[in-house]
Amino acid sequence: GLIPKPLPYGVGQKLPKGSDLVMQIHYHRTGKEERDRTRIGLYFCKNEVRSHFMAIPVPGLFFSIPAGRKDYKIDSTIKLTEDVFAHWMVPHMHLLGKDIELIAYFPDGKELSLIKIPEWDYNWQEMYQFKEPLKLPKDTVLRIRATYDNSEDSPLNPHSPPRNVMIGEQTTNEMCFVFVGVSSSKPGW
C-alpha cells in the first residue's frame, strides 16, 4: 500500500533474467473468506545503472515485551561495512509501539537523527524519502531506539489483560525495524 517513489537517475536494482520474485505478505484472519488484491509494479531503468540499490534492515533486537510494561525500551546498533547513499527509510512496529528513532553516528564523531517519530501510529506507516541522497560512509553506526507500551493503559493493546508479546509476524505480535534503502557504486554490490 505504499506510494511508489522512483529512485534517482542512474540508481537501480539488478533483476537477472529468469529470476523469481518472492513476496512475503502478512495476512490477518478476519473470520470470513477474503479476496486478495495484491499487485506489484516493476519499473525498468531506461538508462545505465551506475549505482546499485538494496534495502537493509536496522533491527531493534528483543525476544518478548513483558506484560504490564509501560515503557519497554529497545536500543540496538549495526555498523556499515561499505560507503552507501541512503534514499529512504521505512520504520516498522506494530500496535504496542510508542516511539521510534534512527540515529547515524558518523566515523568523524558527528551524529544525526535520521528519523524520529515521537508518537507512533500503526496506521500511518510510510516510506520517508530524503530530499537528496545522504552519504553514509563505511563504519557509520546506525542506532535504533524504540519504546513499547504493553500495559492496560495502551489504547491499541490487543490483549486484555496484557500478556507477554513475542517478536513475530502477526499484528498482535511485535516487530522493530527501520528499513533503509541504500545504493552503492561499488562493482558487484
Side-chain angles (χ1 to χ4, degrees):
L2 294 178
I3 297 169
K5 306 222 167 132
L7 293 170
Y9 182 87
V11 177
Q13 189 168 9
K14 187 173 184 172
L15 183 63
K17 182 178 180 178
S19 293
D20 292 324
L21 291 179
V22 178
M23 289 187 349
Q24 181 184 35
I25 302 172
H26 300 191
Y27 293 106
H28 196 72
R29 292 186 182 113
T30 64
K32 59 182 181 165
E33 187 174 321
E34 298 288 348
R35 184 177 158 184
D36 181 8
R37 298 182 299 161
T38 302
R39 304 282 187 272
I40 185 170
L42 297 177
Y43 298 85
F44 293 95
C45 193
K46 294 180 176 27
N47 52 17
E48 179 185 358
V49 174
R50 297 187 308 260
S51 190
H52 300 278
F53 176 85
M54 71 169 27
I56 58 171
V58 181
L61 303 176
F62 71 98
F63 183 68
S64 76
I65 301 170
R69 287 287 298 272
K70 190 171 189 65
D71 288 309
Y72 185 78
K73 306 279 187 197
I74 295 186
D75 194 333
S76 302
T77 61
I78 66 167
K79 184 185 272 193
L80 298 177
T81 59
E82 306 287 340
D83 292 339
V84 297
F85 284 92
H87 300 276
W88 51 253
M89 297 168 295
V90 178
H92 182 72
M93 301 163 74
H94 290 176
L95 300 172
L96 300 179
K98 284 179 67 174
D99 57 63
I100 190 166
E101 181 176 22
L102 184 66
I103 306 162
Y105 296 92
F106 296 96
D108 66 3
K110 293 180 183 172
E111 67 180 72
L112 177 64
S113 177
L114 301 180
I115 190 164
K116 184 174 184 176
I117 301 175
E119 293 182 34
W120 175 258
D121 185 332
Y122 177 75
N123 297 304
W124 282 86
Q125 296 185 60
E126 184 57 75
M127 178 184 290
Y128 297 89
Q129 194 164 11
F130 292 105
K131 287 183 182 179
E132 297 293 328
L134 174 66
K135 184 173 184 177
L136 298 174
K138 177 182 176 180
D139 294 327
T140 296
V141 173
L142 297 178
R143 179 182 186 189
I144 185 172
R145 296 191 313 188
T147 309
Y148 292 86
D149 183 353
N150 191 11
S151 72
E152 291 182 2
D153 296 334
S154 178
L156 296 179
N157 196 330
H159 308 291
S160 182
R163 66 179 195 201
N164 289 350
V165 174
M166 309 295 282
I167 189 169
E169 296 177 352
Q170 294 293 323
T171 305
T172 54
N173 299 127
E174 270 302 338
M175 290 186 170
C176 185
F177 292 98
V178 176
F179 298 94
V180 184
V182 299
S183 66
S184 171
S185 57
K186 183 177 178 182
W189 196 70

